[in-house]
Amino acid sequence: MNLSMMPYHLSPEERTTLYGNQNPNMINLAVAENVLLFEKYLKNVFGDCSNLSVSDVKYVTAATFEDLQRTAAEFLSDSYGLTGDRRLGGEDIIGVSGVSAALECLAFSICEPGDSVLLPTPCWQGFEWCLSYRPNVRLIKIPLYPAEGFELTLKAVIAAYSSTEPKPRALVLTNPHNPLSINYDPAVLRSIYEWVLNQTDMHIISDEIYFHSQVGVPRHKFVSAFAMEPYSKDRVHAAWGFAKDFGVSGFKAGFVMTRAQAVLNKIKSQRMASLSPFDSLKIFMLLGKLLKRDSGQFIRRLVPVYQKELTNQFTLAKQALDRNGIKYFGTPEAAQFFWLDLTKYLGRAPDAPVMSAKEMRFWAHPEVEDERERKLDAYIKRRAEVALLPGQTMFCPAPGWFRLCFTCEEIDKVTEAIQRLANALKALGA
Ligand SMILES: Cc1ncc(COP(=O)(O)O)c(C=O)c1O
């Protein structure tokens, strides 16, 4: 394959979206999005913009920004179940343009260029662009393997830390997990926090973007970094945004959450939030229409409604996968994914036909090193007309795993895609 023709500037998810635009029959389950709330619950909320005033399209004032941060901090503290001095105040959170920007702000404020951080994999591929591209932080991956159930252990964290010189500045966690769709076991997390905070100088950055996305009654209860014991005000930081839990990914609205004065000072003094801003229109929409609606009760009532919708969608998608004997990792209990185990089909997909240069641009993911995974991905796209996200785009250390997002389309489309996928896999005869 001629890799020089690959558009490296696109993320794997953007690539599948562009591929889908050129192939209208394709169902794209590769992108992490959530359509469960908009039509039924949010269309009315965001539909009415008629009372926009000139102040809503001017630069955001400090007072409006503080109002947003205070209101969001109250909502998030309630959702996290934080009490007493663990509750977040408006001064502990900073609104920026998405969780990507929040992670970048944390990298800029905690690390110096050339520093490294530990990152368990598989994980969201965007950590690379948030942490590495501009902050110039090296990612030291902690590969978690299917044979060990992709389990994050204290032993693996210690091993990665011990073999890294100079010592890493932070451990980066995703909880709930993308793509594994689990909440980390609180006991395991506790042991990791204890070791990191007591035995090293590392910070912990917890990406909690999926934390309201809880499916049914999860096996492990989600515990936020701010509710964790032990805890360090100066070295524990988190990020959350509206993209996934409230299905408004295009708004690019997220928060840095930290009580570390030095980190807050650096973000503020270097005006990072002005460079990756939470702009006035977004604030009009999210603060005025969502966070403050019915004195804050609307969004609080929306969370259990969303969790019910999420659980229904999950159940129907799971039935379709089970009916067709498509295997996946564990039982998803949070976030929005099935982590499909298609390893038995590796090496069975036929060679792809010769492609036009135009087709080549969006057809394959150059991040996928394993030729068999690449071929299987291409086969699924061509034969089933379904796009999944191949695991090696998410730094999965073993080939054959694919992420299926079950919330990015209405259920009929998701189940149709699963049926088409099943038919295509059956044709491979494994
Ligand atoms: C774990 C994780 N963090 C961050 C992001 C990006 O969030 P945002 O769109 O708010 O920048 C994603 C998006 O897929 C994600 O899965």
Side-chain angles (χ1 to χ4, degrees):
M1 171 176 305
N2 181 358
L3 292 186
S4 65
M5 299 184 73
M6 291 294 142
Y8 275 95
H9 60 283
L10 295 175
S11 75
E13 289 166 283
E14 286 168 330
R15 233 176 266 134
T16 52
T17 302
L18 286 170
Y19 182 85
N21 292 347
Q22 293 175 6
N23 298 274
N25 198 35
M26 196 189 76
I27 304 179
N28 185 359
L29 304 186
V31 184
E33 293 196 290
N34 169 11
V35 299
L36 305 188
L37 292 178
F38 188 76
E39 278 302 321
K40 268 207 264 181
Y41 307 102
L42 293 180
K43 205 170 175 172
N44 290 343
V45 171
F46 292 136
D48 173 22
C49 295
S50 54
N51 55 350
L52 259 180
S53 72
V54 70
S55 62
D56 296 313
V57 297
K58 284 185 163 179
Y59 284 132
V60 179
T61 64
T64 312
F65 207 52
E66 278 163 20
D67 190 14
L68 166 75
Q69 294 181 175
R70 197 172 40 249
T71 310
E74 268 168 32
F75 166 63
L76 292 169
S77 298
D78 288 350
S79 301
Y80 278 140
L82 301 178
T83 55
D85 65 1
R86 288 292 179 99
R87 284 182 74 79
L88 296 161
E91 65 286 1
D92 301 323
I93 77 172
I94 299 180
V96 287
S97 56
V99 167
S100 316
L103 293 166
E104 190 185 63
C105 288
L106 285 169
F108 273 129
S109 54
I110 293 167
C111 304
E112 295 298 327
D115 280 352
S116 64
V117 297
L118 301 181
L119 179 70
T121 61
C123 67
W124 175 54
Q125 70 282 357
F127 285 115
E128 187 166 41
W129 66 72
C130 301
L131 308 177
S132 293
Y133 286 5
R134 296 198 295 187
N136 200 5
V137 169
R138 277 186 310 131
L139 304 182
I140 307 293
K141 306 204 176 90
I142 306 179
L144 305 176
Y145 293 93
E148 281 98 46
F150 294 108
E151 199 182 346
L152 177 65
T153 60
L154 174 59
K155 199 167 148 214
V157 176
I158 296 178
Y161 178 83
S162 307
S163 59
T164 305
E165 290 296 344
K167 290 300 173 208
R169 282 291 285 162
L171 169 67
V172 180
L173 298 174
T174 313
N175 188 31
H177 199 272
N178 168 14
L180 300 179
S181 259
I182 54 161
N183 296 317
Y184 274 128
D185 178 345
V188 173
L189 265 193
R190 199 170 304 123
S191 69
I192 292 172
Y193 272 60
E194 215 158 63
W195 182 80
V196 168
L197 298 176
N198 295 334
Q199 305 297 323
T200 79
D201 291 329
M202 281 197 295
H203 292 243
I204 294 175
I205 297 174
S206 182
D207 179 341
E208 301 181 352
I209 191 169
Y210 294 97
F211 95 79
H212 296 89
S213 299
Q214 300 293 322
V215 177
V217 181
R219 193 161 64 103
H220 296 301
K221 194 173 174 312
F222 166 77
V223 182
S224 159
F226 295 111
M228 188 53 65
E229 204 57 68
Y231 170 72
S232 157
K233 204 163 171 268
D234 295 322
R235 288 198 283 141
V236 171
H237 324 280
W240 178 81
F242 287 89
K244 314 297 176 177
D245 291 343
F246 293 100
V248 289
S249 44
F251 279 13
K252 295 300 291 183
F255 297 100
V256 176
M257 302 184 279
T258 178
R259 290 211 179 80
Q261 209 48 55
V263 172
L264 289 164
N265 286 348
K266 189 151 176 192
I267 293 173
K268 287 178 187 164
S269 64
Q270 299 195 352
R271 298 198 58 77
M272 291 185 207
S274 299
L275 296 169
S276 303
F278 213 121
D279 60 64
S280 62
L281 194 56
K282 229 179 274 181
I283 292 183
F284 173 82
M285 287 295 194
L286 291 172
L287 180 67
K289 302 278 174 189
L290 192 59
L291 281 165
K292 285 198 159 178
R293 197 178 183 87
D294 294 348
S295 313
Q297 289 315 300
F298 176 79
I299 193 164
R300 284 166 175 77
R301 281 197 306 266
L302 190 58
V303 172
V305 168
Y306 164 53
Q307 289 172 345
K308 199 159 161 247
E309 297 280 349
L310 182 71
T311 305
N312 286 344
Q313 180 101 352
F314 160 80
T315 305
L316 295 171
K318 179 178 182 314
Q319 283 167 359
L321 288 168
D322 293 347
R323 206 168 39 241
N324 284 293
I326 300 176
K327 284 186 4 181
Y328 47 86
F329 167 74
T331 305
E333 58 179 349
Q336 302 162 340
F337 314 108
F338 285 92
W339 185 229
L340 302 184
D341 175 0
L342 304 186
T343 46
K344 73 173 176 179
Y345 303 102
L346 286 175
R348 291 181 168 265
D351 283 340
V354 176
M355 280 171 288
S356 68
K358 191 173 160 208
E359 237 185 336
M360 278 282 277
R361 285 201 71 218
F362 309 119
W363 172 77
H365 300 290
E367 297 86 353
V368 177
E369 283 170 7
D370 190 287
E371 189 67 29
R372 296 166 306 161
E373 180 170 305
R374 217 189 283 158
K375 270 192 194 166
L376 184 55
D377 176 53
Y379 168 78
I380 292 168
K381 278 205 203 99
R382 277 182 185 280
R383 174 87 185 221
E385 294 188 285
V386 170
L388 304 172
L389 198 61
Q392 289 199 335
T393 65
M394 308 192 79
F395 311 124
C396 185
W401 295 80
F402 288 72
R403 191 188 75 179
L404 178 158
C405 175
F406 64 86
T407 54
C408 63
E409 292 286 358
E410 300 293 345
I411 191 60
D412 290 352
K413 266 202 167 173
V414 174
T415 48
E416 185 190 331
I418 292 173
Q419 192 55 53
R420 287 196 212 163
L421 172 67
N423 296 344
L425 292 174
K426 273 176 204 143
L428 293 178

